[in-house]
Amino acid sequence: MGHVTGDGTVGKALAVLDQVAAFGRPVRFSELLAQSDFPKPTLYRFVQTLTNQQMLAYDPDRQTYAPGVRLVRLAHAAWEQSTLAPVARPHVDALSKAVGETVHLAQLDNAQVLYIDKRNAANPVQMYSQAGKVGPAYCTGVGKVMLAFLDDAATEKVIAQQSFHVFTEYTLADADALRHELDEIRAHGYGFDREEHEPGIICIAMPILSEGGRVLGALSVTSTTNRTNLAGLEAYEPVLRETAAKIARDAQNWSFPDYETKEATGI
Amino acid sequence: MGHVTGDGTVGKALAVLDQVAAFGRPVRFSELLAQSDFPKPTLYRFVQTLTNQQMLAYDPDRQTYAPGVRLVRLAHAAWEQSTLAPVARPHVDALSKAVGETVHLAQLDNAQVLYIDKRNAANPVQMYSQAGKVGPAYCTGVGKVMLAFLDDAATEKVIAQQSFHVFTEYTLADADALRHELDEIRAHGYGFDREEHEPGIICIAMPILSEGGRVLGALSVTSTTNRTNLAGLEAYEPVLRETAAKIARDAQNWSFPDYETKEATGI
DNA sequence: AAACCTTGTTCCATTATTTGAAACTTGGTT
DNA sequence: AACCAAGTTTCAAATAATGGAACAAGGTTT
């Protein structure tokens, strides 16, 4: 009767997995139970099953559960197969070198922004700890440009799922403000983050669209108000647009020819 | 009657997820069906459910399934929470700087080696494409030292799951050869890879053990026969041992104090 | 040391969900 | 028009999930 999860047993089990991941730290069974809708034996069995399946890892010393190693292995496959990330990598590299600022590559995940790749101008890549991170869609450059180029039904569905927390004085605080912004973005073909998420942080963002106009992802160049301003970022628009086009083209023609690459790792 | 998966519906669904990941490329429903034990509607529903749950991503243009973005998000949590990886990071950095060779941090996943972190001496980190990778346990330095320090029952269970593919002329080709090698490793406290997995690639590996003697993971320093030899690698034994000890200590005392770190990302 | 928690684990009759053979739809091919 | 392959839906039978209750196992208090 009226469940949040849907998708039967599997959906429920995955909800438990999310719950553990959301804790951000190893968690005890009782902690999960306290904030769960499931009765004790049901939750217990889910946790057991997930642990058996290595989706959760149980630490017997501390009696805690944490997301398991199987996820890391699966995510490796996800990242390598996601048509965007591996195809985009050389282009993101080139863009990063060209602009000398932080570059992000993102996709839409549910109604959130998921960062798939990142180049930090200053300190060399530290990807795993950044890629995989999620952020709000309504107040980030990449989020807004992706929203702007979905079809109307999809856009509204995602808008309905935004929480509209006000981070700064520039944050778009409601659905109407966001809709208006999306119109602007559609008109220009790209968008900005005007310190909407964090004070002093600005960016220019470009959608990555397939030939058919489907949203594949988005690119952004980020900087700070100390170093530049929106007009300064706008100078990157041509190279951003070109990079997005190249990524879209390559993603289109991608057909996994180099399967079975015996990449030399050595332990 | 006699299933491989176990763990009910959830286990079966996750087996399908693994199957998709194992393809290494986006895959059609019919391809999955062809190599699946499940009847058509059953497999169909699993794929649907997993897609709903964003564990799989469906590409409508190509009619293919690939591992989904939710996995990347979950893996991010897994990596950050796995007691070893974040705790080990600074020590792995230091070790990498000290030895100037490729350094690997690994854990046991099922009966395989899972690389959790990596420092490449030459080109700066490219983690996501390396971490998450799995390798054989019986013919890698990290794999063997972890096996050596499991309890007997666990060791035998893992040995039984090895496939003993012969990669080079030095590969340990059967369980007995491996058992003998494990005895040696237990006697010394550390181990080598003598070109057992790839010609010209050698390493010295050190287990990371908790106070209670539980295997937490392993560290290795890898090089080539062009640059050095086993005696040369042995010079790294003290710093490796010390690093492993530091990681174990920190993993022990880790209690997630810095939860709620509002890390400044900016888009 | 007895009574009393709190946390984790097992039982088992009831209930709801998964299951899969068969039938059907869709789009492309002979 | 007939055919074929890939994907999707149906529905009664089989199976697996469910959760109230009762049971261990450590700890703490009286």
Side-chain angles (χ1 to χ4, degrees):
Chain A
M1 305 95 177
H3 289 296
V4 264
T5 21
D7 279 323
T9 314
V10 176
K12 292 177 206 165
L14 293 177
V16 172
L17 189 59
D18 268 351
Q19 200 198 345
V20 174
F23 260 85
R25 60 175 173 81
V27 64
R28 297 185 66 121
F29 173 73
S30 55
E31 296 180 275
L32 291 172
L33 182 62
Q35 66 165 229
S36 176
D37 290 336
F38 295 117
K40 214 200 304 193
T42 302
L43 182 67
Y44 179 70
R45 272 184 313 249
F46 279 136
V47 169
Q48 290 255 105
T49 302
L50 290 168
T51 304
N52 268 338
Q53 294 289 327
Q54 315 247 11
M55 298 298 277
L56 290 179
Y58 181 64
D59 180 337
D61 295 350
R62 292 163 208 268
Q63 301 197 117
T64 55
Y65 295 90
V69 285
R70 188 176 180 182
L71 283 170
V72 177
R73 199 182 53 201
L74 283 167
H76 178 65
W79 192 87
E80 281 207 327
Q81 291 190 38
S82 108
T83 41
L84 211 55
V87 156
R89 179 143 62 173
H91 301 299
V92 173
D93 279 337
L95 178 64
S96 164
K97 234 170 240 173
V99 303
E101 293 277 8
T102 297
V103 170
H104 285 270
L105 174 67
Q107 287 186 237
L108 267 185
D109 169 24
N110 234 342
Q112 291 190 300
V113 165
L114 178 76
Y115 297 103
I116 296 292
D117 209 340
K118 183 192 175 180
R119 284 315 116 84
N120 211 325
N123 53 321
V125 207
Q126 207 130 314
M127 268 184 26
Y128 222 139
S129 55
Q130 279 305 135
K133 185 168 248 171
V134 292
Y138 68 96
C139 64
T140 58
V142 284
K144 291 188 298 180
V145 298
M146 287 193 281
L147 279 189
F149 291 93
L150 294 177
D151 61 78
D152 293 357
T155 304
E156 281 307 319
K157 198 178 147 206
V158 174
I159 290 178
Q161 291 177 78
Q162 301 302 310
S163 51
F164 293 107
H165 177 79
V166 175
F167 290 99
T168 75
E169 58 177 309
Y170 303 106
T171 306
L172 300 174
D174 57 59
D176 279 335
L178 178 57
R179 284 196 197 91
H180 182 257
E181 168 82 347
L182 297 185
D183 287 341
E184 295 265 303
I185 291 172
R186 270 185 288 266
H188 290 86
Y190 59 94
F192 293 101
D193 171 358
R194 305 176 175 82
E195 304 184 63
E196 293 156 43
H197 187 34
E198 282 189 80
I201 304 288
I202 55 176
C203 91
I204 177 170
M206 182 74 64
I208 302 174
L209 303 174
S210 76
E211 265 178 46
R214 269 205 313 136
V215 173
L216 301 177
L219 273 175
S220 72
V221 175
T222 303
S223 192
T224 66
T225 49
N226 291 334
R227 282 219 293 278
T228 184
N229 54 32
L230 294 182
L233 284 179
E234 198 152 22
Y236 298 135
E237 189 263 327
V239 62
L240 254 179
R241 178 180 303 279
E242 204 185 331
T243 305
K246 281 181 190 159
I247 293 172
R249 170 172 47 69
D250 286 6
Q252 215 80 236
N253 305 333
W254 179 254
S255 52
F256 289 83
D258 55 329
Y259 185 45
E260 276 293 59
T261 46
K262 258 282 174 63
E263 59 238 279
T265 307
I267 307 309
Chain B
M1 305 97 181
H3 289 297
V4 264
T5 22
D7 279 326
T9 314
V10 176
K12 293 175 205 165
L14 293 178
V16 172
L17 189 59
D18 268 351
Q19 200 197 345
V20 174
F23 259 86
R25 59 174 173 82
V27 65
R28 294 187 67 117
F29 173 71
S30 54
E31 296 181 275
L32 291 173
L33 182 60
Q35 64 163 231
S36 178
D37 290 336
F38 295 117
K40 214 199 302 195
T42 302
L43 182 67
Y44 179 70
R45 273 184 312 247
F46 278 136
V47 169
Q48 290 258 102
T49 301
L50 289 168
T51 305
N52 269 337
Q53 294 289 328
Q54 315 247 11
M55 298 297 276
L56 290 179
Y58 180 65
D59 180 336
D61 296 352
R62 292 163 208 268
Q63 302 198 117
T64 54
Y65 295 89
V69 286
R70 188 177 180 183
L71 284 170
V72 177
R73 199 182 53 201
L74 283 168
H76 178 64
W79 193 88
E80 284 206 326
Q81 292 190 38
S82 106
T83 41
L84 210 56
V87 156
R89 179 142 63 173
H91 300 299
V92 174
D93 279 336
L95 178 63
S96 164
K97 233 170 243 173
V99 302
E101 295 276 8
T102 297
V103 170
H104 284 271
L105 175 68
Q107 289 186 238
L108 266 186
D109 169 23
N110 234 345
Q112 291 189 299
V113 165
L114 178 76
Y115 296 102
I116 296 293
D117 208 340
K118 182 194 176 182
R119 283 317 115 83
N120 210 325
N123 54 322
V125 207
Q126 206 131 312
M127 268 183 23
Y128 223 140
S129 54
Q130 281 304 137
K133 183 168 251 171
V134 291
Y138 68 96
C139 63
T140 58
V142 284
K144 292 187 298 179
V145 297
M146 286 191 283
L147 279 189
F149 292 94
L150 294 176
D151 61 79
D152 292 357
T155 303
E156 281 307 318
K157 199 178 146 204
V158 174
I159 289 178
Q161 291 177 79
Q162 302 301 309
S163 49
F164 292 107
H165 177 77
V166 175
F167 291 100
T168 76
E169 58 177 311
Y170 305 106
T171 305
L172 299 175
D174 57 59
D176 278 335
L178 178 57
R179 284 198 196 90
H180 183 255
E181 167 82 348
L182 297 185
D183 287 341
E184 294 266 302
I185 292 173
R186 270 185 287 266
H188 289 86
Y190 59 95
F192 294 100
D193 171 358
R194 305 174 176 83
E195 306 183 62
E196 292 157 44
H197 187 33
E198 282 189 81
I201 303 287
I202 54 175
C203 92
I204 177 170
M206 183 72 66
I208 303 173
L209 304 174
S210 75
E211 263 177 50
R214 269 205 312 133
V215 173
L216 302 176
L219 272 175
S220 72
V221 175
T222 303
S223 192
T224 67
T225 48
N226 291 334
R227 280 219 296 277
T228 184
N229 53 32
L230 294 181
L233 284 179
E234 198 153 20
Y236 297 136
E237 189 261 327
V239 62
L240 255 178
R241 179 180 301 281
E242 204 185 330
T243 305
K246 280 182 191 158
I247 293 172
R249 170 172 48 69
D250 286 6
Q252 215 80 238
N253 304 332
W254 180 254
S255 53
F256 289 84
D258 55 329
Y259 186 44
E260 277 290 59
T261 47
K262 257 281 175 59
E263 58 239 281
T265 308
I267 307 310

